[in-house]
Amino acid sequence: MVSAVDDMSQAPLVLLSGGGGGALLAAILSKCTVQRPVIVVTNTGDDFEHLGLLICPDTDSVLYATSGKLDRAKGWGREGESWQVLDAIQAMAGPSWFQLGDKDLALHLMRAEQLRDGSDLAGVTQLLSERLGVPEGMIVVPATEQSVRTRVVTEEGELAFQEYFVGRRCEPALRDVVYEGIEGASPSPSMLAALDTCIDGPVDVVLGPSNPFLSLCPILDIPGMLSELRKRARRVVAISPIIGGRALKGPAAKIMIELGLPASAPAWTQWVKQRYPGFVDTWVWDEMDRGLIATLSEPHDVRVTDTVMSKPGVSAAFAQWLLEVCSVAP
Ligand code: FO1
């Protein structure tokens, strides 16, 4: 189990994250840990076994993003990567559909050795954080120690997550999403220990601008997760991954349409609220969607700001704005 950070004298911000927008938000919050420690809880539903190695894509995207090593153009993997091992695998007609770069493989070999030596997922993630240079004051912790595997039910049948996401580039229309093994999972003990280390009042929880179906549900649906977070949280804030009817990256908008929902910030808000009643206090939408607030059928605490973190000058301002929102009780 990860030993809790000793200097966590202020209540941390807890960010629930997938690998895309959530990892980018984790990266900007990693620069603010002097103001407030941050615990990033990562989705494990994308994890799978490949070439005999446990691959944890969302956890690794957060590790790379917060240590300044993410390939930002691709949004996953390490910058300045080389591909000699993948080329050699391909030359032997091996499984090269999932691209593991040489440096990324180094991380995977270290993870494999640590797991074989008896470390748990949180422990190996903590070790990798230290070795990669994730700033002190930030803890990255997978949501659970148990195996949760996202599977998608599509018009062409059921697919394992990476088969759908990478193998089929999210093309088959989605009908449903299931999280195999989630009934037997429980919130990570290391996450709970980190939450309980704070001595200066309650934490604030932020649902990153991650895909709700593929990245946030496999965290929030873990039995006990909602109540463990809610009972410690002063405020729960959810950031819309939908901006102007589109997701900046990934299939969130496409999936909403396939599930019969409009791809819009209000529809995302209603969906999250219906699935997790009473969990979220404050909804964050992008400036572009300000005009849609009036379309909500009942009053919500919607806050609007510029959330497109790739725009110059936006990310630091967004982080400060978010810290401000989270600094007071709802
Ligand atoms: N995404 C791809 O689209 N193609 C890949 O070949 C690929 C390889 C890969 C290797 C390591 C890793 O940590 C992530 C990788 N991803 C790849 C991203 C991965 O599929 C994630 O699940 C998505 O980022 C969704 O969060």
Side-chain angles (χ1 to χ4, degrees):
M1 188 188 288
V2 178
S3 62
V5 170
D6 296 329
D7 63 355
M8 209 174 264
S9 53
Q10 306 169 65
L13 200 73
V14 181
L15 172 67
L16 309 192
S17 179
L24 290 185
L25 181 56
I28 59 174
L29 289 173
S30 74
K31 297 184 168 62
C32 308
T33 54
V34 177
Q35 280 166 273
R36 206 159 171 194
V38 181
I39 300 172
V40 189
V41 179
T42 56
N43 168 39
T44 58
D46 295 11
D47 294 7
F48 76 123
E49 287 73 26
H50 182 65
L51 291 167
L53 300 166
L54 175 65
I55 318 289
C56 307
D58 287 357
T59 302
D60 293 348
S61 292
V62 169
L63 289 175
Y64 291 148
T66 56
S67 60
K69 294 181 173 58
L70 182 73
D71 180 332
R72 290 211 169 223
K74 287 207 305 278
W76 51 267
R78 277 187 74 156
E79 64 174 2
E81 195 47 287
S82 57
W83 303 93
Q84 298 218 22
V85 176
L86 188 74
D87 289 347
I89 290 173
Q90 198 159 21
M92 291 187 288
S96 57
W97 63 275
F98 192 80
Q99 301 185 305
L100 289 173
D102 298 335
K103 293 181 188 171
D104 200 16
L105 267 164
L107 172 142
H108 284 89
L109 293 175
M110 281 183 66
R111 174 183 284 129
E113 183 177 53
Q114 291 293 318
L115 291 174
R116 201 180 42 240
D117 288 351
S119 177
D120 62 8
L121 259 191
V124 68
T125 306
Q126 175 74 9
L127 178 101
L128 294 170
S129 298
E130 287 161 17
R131 302 287 168 86
L132 288 167
V134 173
E136 278 182 32
M138 173 166 269
I139 296 176
V140 181
V141 61
T144 183
E145 288 294 330
Q146 287 80 35
S147 165
V148 172
R149 297 289 179 267
T150 298
R151 295 184 65 81
V152 293
V153 182
T154 75
E155 59 184 3
E156 300 175 20
E158 198 174 306
L159 297 169
F161 177 75
Q162 296 295 348
E163 235 180 307
Y164 161 78
F165 195 89
V166 175
R168 299 296 315 279
R169 306 208 164 279
C170 309
E171 272 166 27
L174 202 138
R175 298 277 172 262
D176 199 5
V177 188
V178 290
Y179 312 107
E180 198 176 79
I182 204 157
E183 333 69 54
S186 52
S188 158
S190 295
M191 178 198 82
L192 297 178
L195 289 176
D196 288 337
T197 313
C198 56
I199 53 173
D200 187 26
V203 302
D204 296 291
V205 175
V206 175
L207 309 191
S210 299
N211 188 309
F213 317 99
L214 302 179
S215 300
L216 295 178
C217 292
I219 302 177
L220 293 172
D221 287 4
I222 293 169
M225 183 63 87
L226 281 181
S227 57
E228 293 288 2
L229 291 173
R230 191 63 261 189
K231 77 180 176 207
R232 291 170 174 85
R234 169 171 58 184
R235 185 193 282 277
V236 177
V237 178
I239 302 170
S240 175
I242 305 293
I243 299 176
R246 298 175 53 226
L248 287 183
K249 203 167 191 306
K254 175 178 180 285
I255 291 176
M256 286 184 82
I257 292 164
E258 288 165 357
L259 295 179
L261 301 161
S264 69
W268 162 82
T269 301
Q270 309 273 20
W271 187 86
V272 175
K273 192 173 173 187
Q274 204 171 3
R275 182 147 177 140
Y276 305 111
F279 184 61
V280 176
D281 301 303
T282 301
W283 307 87
V284 177
W285 294 4
D286 189 77
E287 193 62 61
M288 195 183 268
D289 294 317
R290 182 185 286 278
L292 297 177
I293 295 178
T295 68
L296 284 166
S297 52
E298 43 186 291
H300 288 71
D301 178 13
V302 178
R303 313 288 176 97
V304 173
T305 191
D306 213 341
T307 65
V308 181
M309 291 175 274
S310 53
K311 275 202 231 159
V314 167
S315 43
F318 181 43
Q320 288 311 318
W321 180 90
L322 190 60
L323 288 171
E324 190 94 347
V325 168
C326 290
S327 67
V328 286

